[in-house]
Amino acid sequence: MRLLIVLLLFAPGLSAIDMTEVDRDTLRYVRIALLKDDVRKHFDLKIGDFEALDQAIRVDVALGQAKEMVVLRLGNKCAGVLIETTKDGDRPGAHCFIAVESRVSAEARIQGEFVAIRCAVDTANDEASPVRTRLLRLHNDKLQCCLTWLSSEERSWDDGRYKRATTRKLVRAQGKLKLIEETSYSLDSEPVEGARASCETLLLDTNECLQLAERTESCIPISSHCGFARRLERDGLNEAALYHATLAFERANAKQLADDDCQRLEAMSLIARLEARMRRNEVEVVER
């Protein structure tokens, strides 16, 4: 009973938000953001009830009259709220609500035109989890989530010895917005020479969002995929070898190579041999 009384008396001090991470200006902007009815209702909070939040992040922006944005999170609910500076002082401006998976980070992009909100997709394993990015912008006086993508992800084979890492980032080049994708491979934490690919995707601006448009790829050649597969096979990394052999076959199909093309035939031969070996290994494990 005494413990319960203590908890009730000191409940305001047991706030979810870590106040060591929130400076005075951020806290002031949070209070301003919570003056907005829609924002309070979204989090089911009262005016000034900022202590119940899990996170509050301030971002410098250049969006309309706003030079600052606060990103608020409570559980899986997240909001971006612009703070507008007027002759009468600061006030809450346009806002946007999004659902997130976990703890977020936020940063301004492209000279403050956009705010990128990132969070781990797999809450059980933040370090190895893919990271999802949601892009906010001010459009027609409304704050909107205009693009969502996986900004980093990793896949591994053969007990983690062989890995593929992919990153995607937003850039503006020659006045055009693009999503730049980079993929690389590593074996026992060492980069695999020649195993890099890239892709540029043009983004078209519409009223509703940024749409993925023309895609330009710089792919790993079919012969290189087959070469990686052969070397991995020799090292006993059959899962990774089969992955590269399959990519080689898919590339041969995409290029519409003839049925008797040597590259297509080599990829098919690798796939057949590796699948047979892996099935044989599975049978041996079961028999034991």
Side-chain angles (χ1 to χ4, degrees), residues 226-243:
C226 290
F228 298 145
R230 289 194 302 272
R231 289 199 293 273
L232 291 165
E233 181 186 16
R234 286 197 297 270
D235 291 339
L237 302 177
N238 294 321
E239 292 177 0
L242 179 59
Y243 168 76

PDB file of all heavy atoms in Angstrom, residues 226-243:
ATOM      1  N   CYS A 226      28.040 -15.414 -61.861  1.00  0.00           N
ATOM      2  CA  CYS A 226      28.433 -16.823 -61.995  1.00  0.00           C
ATOM      3  C   CYS A 226      29.795 -17.072 -61.342  1.00  0.00           C
ATOM      4  O   CYS A 226      30.010 -18.102 -60.687  1.00  0.00           O
ATOM      5  CB  CYS A 226      28.472 -17.226 -63.468  1.00  0.00           C
ATOM      6  SG  CYS A 226      26.837 -17.314 -64.245  1.00  0.00           S
ATOM      7  N   GLY A 227      30.716 -16.107 -61.514  1.00  0.00           N
ATOM      8  CA  GLY A 227      32.036 -16.238 -60.894  1.00  0.00           C
ATOM      9  C   GLY A 227      31.940 -16.240 -59.376  1.00  0.00           C
ATOM     10  O   GLY A 227      32.602 -17.052 -58.699  1.00  0.00           O
ATOM     11  N   PHE A 228      31.111 -15.347 -58.802  1.00  0.00           N
ATOM     12  CA  PHE A 228      30.916 -15.335 -57.348  1.00  0.00           C
ATOM     13  C   PHE A 228      30.331 -16.674 -56.890  1.00  0.00           C
ATOM     14  O   PHE A 228      30.750 -17.231 -55.869  1.00  0.00           O
ATOM     15  CB  PHE A 228      29.977 -14.199 -56.927  1.00  0.00           C
ATOM     16  CG  PHE A 228      30.485 -12.825 -57.258  1.00  0.00           C
ATOM     17  CD1 PHE A 228      29.608 -11.820 -57.637  1.00  0.00           C
ATOM     18  CD2 PHE A 228      31.835 -12.527 -57.191  1.00  0.00           C
ATOM     19  CE1 PHE A 228      30.056 -10.558 -57.933  1.00  0.00           C
ATOM     20  CE2 PHE A 228      32.310 -11.254 -57.491  1.00  0.00           C
ATOM     21  CZ  PHE A 228      31.416 -10.264 -57.874  1.00  0.00           C
ATOM     22  N   ALA A 229      29.362 -17.181 -57.652  1.00  0.00           N
ATOM     23  CA  ALA A 229      28.715 -18.446 -57.284  1.00  0.00           C
ATOM     24  C   ALA A 229      29.726 -19.589 -57.265  1.00  0.00           C
ATOM     25  O   ALA A 229      29.727 -20.418 -56.340  1.00  0.00           O
ATOM     26  CB  ALA A 229      27.576 -18.749 -58.248  1.00  0.00           C
ATOM     27  N   ARG A 230      30.612 -19.643 -58.262  1.00  0.00           N
ATOM     28  CA  ARG A 230      31.597 -20.723 -58.315  1.00  0.00           C
ATOM     29  C   ARG A 230      32.564 -20.647 -57.123  1.00  0.00           C
ATOM     30  O   ARG A 230      32.878 -21.665 -56.498  1.00  0.00           O
ATOM     31  CB  ARG A 230      32.377 -20.668 -59.628  1.00  0.00           C
ATOM     32  CG  ARG A 230      31.569 -21.060 -60.857  1.00  0.00           C
ATOM     33  CD  ARG A 230      32.484 -21.306 -62.039  1.00  0.00           C
ATOM     34  NE  ARG A 230      33.290 -20.133 -62.359  1.00  0.00           N
ATOM     35  CZ  ARG A 230      32.905 -19.150 -63.175  1.00  0.00           C
ATOM     36  NH1 ARG A 230      31.708 -19.202 -63.764  1.00  0.00           N
ATOM     37  NH2 ARG A 230      33.689 -18.119 -63.419  1.00  0.00           N
ATOM     38  N   ARG A 231      33.035 -19.428 -56.806  1.00  0.00           N
ATOM     39  CA  ARG A 231      33.976 -19.278 -55.690  1.00  0.00           C
ATOM     40  C   ARG A 231      33.309 -19.615 -54.359  1.00  0.00           C
ATOM     41  O   ARG A 231      33.906 -20.269 -53.498  1.00  0.00           O
ATOM     42  CB  ARG A 231      34.532 -17.854 -55.670  1.00  0.00           C
ATOM     43  CG  ARG A 231      35.488 -17.565 -56.811  1.00  0.00           C
ATOM     44  CD  ARG A 231      36.353 -16.356 -56.534  1.00  0.00           C
ATOM     45  NE  ARG A 231      35.568 -15.126 -56.497  1.00  0.00           N
ATOM     46  CZ  ARG A 231      35.286 -14.392 -57.574  1.00  0.00           C
ATOM     47  NH1 ARG A 231      35.711 -14.775 -58.786  1.00  0.00           N
ATOM     48  NH2 ARG A 231      34.588 -13.284 -57.460  1.00  0.00           N
ATOM     49  N   LEU A 232      32.076 -19.162 -54.181  1.00  0.00           N
ATOM     50  CA  LEU A 232      31.357 -19.459 -52.940  1.00  0.00           C
ATOM     51  C   LEU A 232      31.084 -20.949 -52.803  1.00  0.00           C
ATOM     52  O   LEU A 232      31.146 -21.517 -51.709  1.00  0.00           O
ATOM     53  CB  LEU A 232      30.051 -18.660 -52.895  1.00  0.00           C
ATOM     54  CG  LEU A 232      30.226 -17.137 -52.725  1.00  0.00           C
ATOM     55  CD1 LEU A 232      28.925 -16.417 -53.057  1.00  0.00           C
ATOM     56  CD2 LEU A 232      30.665 -16.801 -51.294  1.00  0.00           C
ATOM     57  N   GLU A 233      30.795 -21.575 -53.937  1.00  0.00           N
ATOM     58  CA  GLU A 233      30.565 -23.037 -53.924  1.00  0.00           C
ATOM     59  C   GLU A 233      31.832 -23.758 -53.474  1.00  0.00           C
ATOM     60  O   GLU A 233      31.764 -24.701 -52.674  1.00  0.00           O
ATOM     61  CB  GLU A 233      30.141 -23.498 -55.311  1.00  0.00           C
ATOM     62  CG  GLU A 233      29.847 -24.994 -55.392  1.00  0.00           C
ATOM     63  CD  GLU A 233      29.573 -25.451 -56.816  1.00  0.00           C
ATOM     64  OE1 GLU A 233      29.895 -24.698 -57.758  1.00  0.00           O
ATOM     65  OE2 GLU A 233      29.046 -26.571 -56.978  1.00  0.00           O
ATOM     66  N   ARG A 234      32.982 -23.330 -53.978  1.00  0.00           N
ATOM     67  CA  ARG A 234      34.241 -23.966 -53.589  1.00  0.00           C
ATOM     68  C   ARG A 234      34.509 -23.809 -52.094  1.00  0.00           C
ATOM     69  O   ARG A 234      35.109 -24.677 -51.466  1.00  0.00           O
ATOM     70  CB  ARG A 234      35.400 -23.375 -54.396  1.00  0.00           C
ATOM     71  CG  ARG A 234      35.467 -23.827 -55.843  1.00  0.00           C
ATOM     72  CD  ARG A 234      36.820 -23.544 -56.457  1.00  0.00           C
ATOM     73  NE  ARG A 234      37.121 -22.119 -56.505  1.00  0.00           N
ATOM     74  CZ  ARG A 234      36.810 -21.315 -57.523  1.00  0.00           C
ATOM     75  NH1 ARG A 234      36.200 -21.805 -58.596  1.00  0.00           N
ATOM     76  NH2 ARG A 234      37.126 -20.035 -57.500  1.00  0.00           N
ATOM     77  N   ASP A 235      34.049 -22.697 -51.532  1.00  0.00           N
ATOM     78  CA  ASP A 235      34.249 -22.437 -50.099  1.00  0.00           C
ATOM     79  C   ASP A 235      33.163 -23.074 -49.238  1.00  0.00           C
ATOM     80  O   ASP A 235      33.156 -22.892 -48.018  1.00  0.00           O
ATOM     81  CB  ASP A 235      34.267 -20.928 -49.832  1.00  0.00           C
ATOM     82  CG  ASP A 235      35.511 -20.253 -50.404  1.00  0.00           C
ATOM     83  OD1 ASP A 235      36.503 -20.974 -50.639  1.00  0.00           O
ATOM     84  OD2 ASP A 235      35.480 -19.035 -50.622  1.00  0.00           O
ATOM     85  N   GLY A 236      32.244 -23.789 -49.873  1.00  0.00           N
ATOM     86  CA  GLY A 236      31.195 -24.463 -49.125  1.00  0.00           C
ATOM     87  C   GLY A 236      30.037 -23.573 -48.714  1.00  0.00           C
ATOM     88  O   GLY A 236      29.213 -23.975 -47.890  1.00  0.00           O
ATOM     89  N   LEU A 237      29.966 -22.388 -49.290  1.00  0.00           N
ATOM     90  CA  LEU A 237      28.877 -21.460 -48.968  1.00  0.00           C
ATOM     91  C   LEU A 237      27.782 -21.610 -50.026  1.00  0.00           C
ATOM     92  O   LEU A 237      27.600 -20.769 -50.903  1.00  0.00           O
ATOM     93  CB  LEU A 237      29.406 -20.018 -48.926  1.00  0.00           C
ATOM     94  CG  LEU A 237      30.542 -19.780 -47.925  1.00  0.00           C
ATOM     95  CD1 LEU A 237      31.036 -18.345 -48.005  1.00  0.00           C
ATOM     96  CD2 LEU A 237      30.099 -20.101 -46.514  1.00  0.00           C
ATOM     97  N   ASN A 238      27.066 -22.711 -49.928  1.00  0.00           N
ATOM     98  CA  ASN A 238      26.128 -23.077 -50.988  1.00  0.00           C
ATOM     99  C   ASN A 238      24.915 -22.149 -51.056  1.00  0.00           C
ATOM    100  O   ASN A 238      24.392 -21.892 -52.142  1.00  0.00           O
ATOM    101  CB  ASN A 238      25.663 -24.521 -50.786  1.00  0.00           C
ATOM    102  CG  ASN A 238      26.789 -25.513 -50.961  1.00  0.00           C
ATOM    103  OD1 ASN A 238      27.640 -25.354 -51.828  1.00  0.00           O
ATOM    104  ND2 ASN A 238      26.824 -26.535 -50.116  1.00  0.00           N
ATOM    105  N   GLU A 239      24.430 -21.675 -49.911  1.00  0.00           N
ATOM    106  CA  GLU A 239      23.275 -20.779 -49.926  1.00  0.00           C
ATOM    107  C   GLU A 239      23.603 -19.490 -50.687  1.00  0.00           C
ATOM    108  O   GLU A 239      22.828 -19.042 -51.539  1.00  0.00           O
ATOM    109  CB  GLU A 239      22.851 -20.432 -48.492  1.00  0.00           C
ATOM    110  CG  GLU A 239      22.285 -21.584 -47.704  1.00  0.00           C
ATOM    111  CD  GLU A 239      21.959 -21.183 -46.277  1.00  0.00           C
ATOM    112  OE1 GLU A 239      22.174 -19.999 -45.926  1.00  0.00           O
ATOM    113  OE2 GLU A 239      21.490 -22.036 -45.508  1.00  0.00           O
ATOM    114  N   ALA A 240      24.756 -18.900 -50.359  1.00  0.00           N
ATOM    115  CA  ALA A 240      25.160 -17.664 -51.031  1.00  0.00           C
ATOM    116  C   ALA A 240      25.442 -17.920 -52.514  1.00  0.00           C
ATOM    117  O   ALA A 240      25.116 -17.095 -53.377  1.00  0.00           O
ATOM    118  CB  ALA A 240      26.389 -17.077 -50.349  1.00  0.00           C
ATOM    119  N   ALA A 241      26.046 -19.061 -52.813  1.00  0.00           N
ATOM    120  CA  ALA A 241      26.344 -19.405 -54.208  1.00  0.00           C
ATOM    121  C   ALA A 241      25.054 -19.528 -55.005  1.00  0.00           C
ATOM    122  O   ALA A 241      24.953 -19.017 -56.133  1.00  0.00           O
ATOM    123  CB  ALA A 241      27.133 -20.712 -54.265  1.00  0.00           C
ATOM    124  N   LEU A 242      24.056 -20.199 -54.442  1.00  0.00           N
ATOM    125  CA  LEU A 242      22.771 -20.362 -55.124  1.00  0.00           C
ATOM    126  C   LEU A 242      22.095 -19.006 -55.344  1.00  0.00           C
ATOM    127  O   LEU A 242      21.483 -18.780 -56.400  1.00  0.00           O
ATOM    128  CB  LEU A 242      21.854 -21.278 -54.324  1.00  0.00           C
ATOM    129  CG  LEU A 242      20.459 -21.517 -54.908  1.00  0.00           C
ATOM    130  CD1 LEU A 242      20.545 -22.139 -56.303  1.00  0.00           C
ATOM    131  CD2 LEU A 242      19.635 -22.414 -53.981  1.00  0.00           C
ATOM    132  N   TYR A 243      22.230 -18.110 -54.390  1.00  0.00           N
ATOM    133  CA  TYR A 243      21.651 -16.769 -54.540  1.00  0.00           C
ATOM    134  C   TYR A 243      22.253 -16.066 -55.769  1.00  0.00           C
ATOM    135  O   TYR A 243      21.528 -15.514 -56.598  1.00  0.00           O
ATOM    136  CB  TYR A 243      21.907 -15.954 -53.276  1.00  0.00           C
ATOM    137  CG  TYR A 243      21.621 -14.485 -53.432  1.00  0.00           C
ATOM    138  CD1 TYR A 243      20.319 -13.994 -53.454  1.00  0.00           C
ATOM    139  CD2 TYR A 243      22.664 -13.571 -53.580  1.00  0.00           C
ATOM    140  CE1 TYR A 243      20.054 -12.642 -53.621  1.00  0.00           C
ATOM    141  CE2 TYR A 243      22.417 -12.217 -53.736  1.00  0.00           C
ATOM    142  CZ  TYR A 243      21.113 -11.758 -53.757  1.00  0.00           C
ATOM    143  OH  TYR A 243      20.868 -10.424 -53.920  1.00  0.00           O
TER     144      TYR A 243
END
